[in-house]
Amino acid sequence: MSDELRALISAEIGDRAAGWDLAGAIPAEVLRGLGAKGALCAEVPAEYGGRGLTGLAGGELTAHAGALCSSLRSVMTSQGMAAWTIQRFGTRRQRAEELTRLTQGGLAAVAFSEPQAGSDLSAIATTIVDDGDDVVLNGHKVWSTAAAYADVVVVFGRYQDGAAAVVVPTTTPGVTVRPVAQPLGCRAAGHADVLLDDVRLPATRVLSGASQSLGLLTTIALTYGRLSVAWGCVGIIRSCLHAAASHARTREQFGKPLAQHQLIARHLSELVVAEQTATRVCEHAAGCWDSRSAELSHASVLAKHVAAGQATHAASTAVQVLASAGSVDGEPVARAYRDAKLMQIIEGSDEICQLILAERALEGVA
């Protein structure tokens, strides 16, 4: 099944990733077509029209997409995170309605960050207020990946004495989606701000219909996102390794192929190490996902931190090896250079990941 989806993604992307990157958009019919075939949130169970992939199979599919087009992979991450949040917190009816919509070509995004709540999500100020049989939302979300394409946005905000996630159709009065102009990386991923001005919705659109812990809500959703981003970084590294090795094998300098120069060979060896290191930590985290291990949250942080750092280094190394051939905007390693850096920021910056990992180290100290 995953081989079928890999072939589908390869066919849809073809040689168009560079053009999408330069244009800053992926055609909506491509996204909806992939979504209707289960490729955008492939872990959704079959009972809701999904493919029911395991964490490992879904991760390798994500890496495959990431090697070809990080913007498309970012849309997959966003769609999958929205689906996972609905699956985890939705009622039976909400799961049946919303997940089925996402596996039939509907597009979704998630909205966490705000102007004053980036790394510190405890500072979320968006409000969800009961008003009879409705809820009213007010707030300003920033950098919501895929929101520019989305039919619905899963919005996280303050609710009652805790927090909640609400499935908000983007056509609802009071919702404004404002695309981010010229983002550094994943330019075609549909990054956008989402403004909520007295947005009124039936209370049935509040997932689970009850107040939850903000920390629990965000951690569960971000765990999926971090694991997906980590696998996407594995794809970036594989793309950079392939490009650098191919160039080094065929490009001659001083009478011999670049690969026969020891300093270039060192670069290639570092790319192999990066690919293997990132793959192994992602495989471990995927195993934790599939077994529902208590280690999952920390394993996803570790995978995301390691893979994003390795991808950033790998992209820089690949540009160095390809030199001018890798420095043209839109080319694979040039895209990777920009895309990988963004991966060190989203779903928990490097610094936040380091703090979480440091806390884990201290837990083992008597």
Side-chain angles (χ1 to χ4, degrees), residues 84 215-227 230 281 284-305 347 352-353 356-357 359-360 363:
W84 172 242
L216 176 66
L217 272 174
T218 56
T219 296
I220 286 177
L222 284 172
T223 294
Y224 180 97
R226 286 166 176 160
L227 190 50
V281 294
H284 171 68
C288 289
W289 177 279
D290 288 334
S291 66
R292 295 298 185 260
S293 168
E295 295 292 311
L296 174 58
S297 179
H298 281 97
S300 70
V301 172
L302 179 63
K304 191 269 179 185
H305 179 59
E347 316 304 359
I352 291 299
C353 291
I356 294 171
L357 295 172
E359 290 174 0
R360 181 56 182 272
E363 289 174 3

Side-chain angles (χ1 to χ4, degrees), residues 6 9-11 13-14 17-18 63-71 235-236 239 335:
R6 284 165 61 95
I9 288 172
S10 294
I13 294 175
H64 179 69
L68 299 174
C69 178
S70 282
S71 288
I236 289 175
S239 175
R335 291 203 317 273

Side-chain angles (χ1 to χ4, degrees), residues 177-232:
V177 178
R178 187 167 61 200
V180 174
Q182 299 179 322
L184 170 69
C186 301
R187 291 175 174 172
H191 306 299
D193 292 356
V194 180
L195 285 72
L196 307 160
D197 183 12
D198 286 335
V199 176
R200 180 176 293 274
L201 290 165
T204 53
R205 300 202 74 83
V206 179
L207 293 178
S208 81
S211 176
Q212 302 282 340
S213 160
L214 178 60
L216 176 66
L217 272 174
T218 56
T219 296
I220 286 177
L222 284 172
T223 294
Y224 180 97
R226 286 166 176 160
L227 190 50
S228 182
V229 166
W231 277 110

Side-chain angles (χ1 to χ4, degrees), residues 128-272:
I128 305 162
V129 178
D130 287 319
D131 186 9
D133 293 332
D134 296 336
V135 289
V136 178
L137 287 78
N138 280 281
H140 178 186
K141 297 296 187 179
V142 298
W143 276 88
S144 295
T145 300
Y149 304 121
D151 301 303
V152 296
V153 178
V154 179
V155 174
F156 292 74
R158 300 284 176 183
Y159 181 57
Q160 296 176 353
D161 58 352
V166 185
V167 182
V168 179
T170 53
T171 55
T172 307
V175 176
T176 300
V177 178
R178 187 167 61 200
V180 174
Q182 299 179 322
L184 170 69
C186 301
R187 291 175 174 172
H191 306 299
D193 292 356
V194 180
L195 285 72
L196 307 160
D197 183 12
D198 286 335
V199 176
R200 180 176 293 274
L201 290 165
T204 53
R205 300 202 74 83
V206 179
L207 293 178
S208 81
S211 176
Q212 302 282 340
S213 160
L214 178 60
L216 176 66
L217 272 174
T218 56
T219 296
I220 286 177
L222 284 172
T223 294
Y224 180 97
R226 286 166 176 160
L227 190 50
S228 182
V229 166
W231 277 110
C233 287
V234 169
I236 289 175
I237 299 167
R238 290 174 180 173
S239 175
C240 289
L241 173 57
H242 176 76
S246 297
H247 184 78
R249 183 184 295 113
T250 58
R251 172 71 165 167
E252 291 193 0
Q253 291 287 278
F254 303 102
K256 59 183 179 181
L258 281 178
Q260 294 181 20
H261 293 273
Q262 288 185 343
L263 290 178
I264 300 301
R266 176 176 62 84
H267 286 320
L268 296 179
S269 74
E270 289 176 348
L271 288 168
V272 171

Side-chain angles (χ1 to χ4, degrees), residues 42-57:
E43 295 92 346
V44 170
E47 64 183 294
Y48 304 118
R51 298 298 189 107
L53 295 191
T54 64
L56 182 58

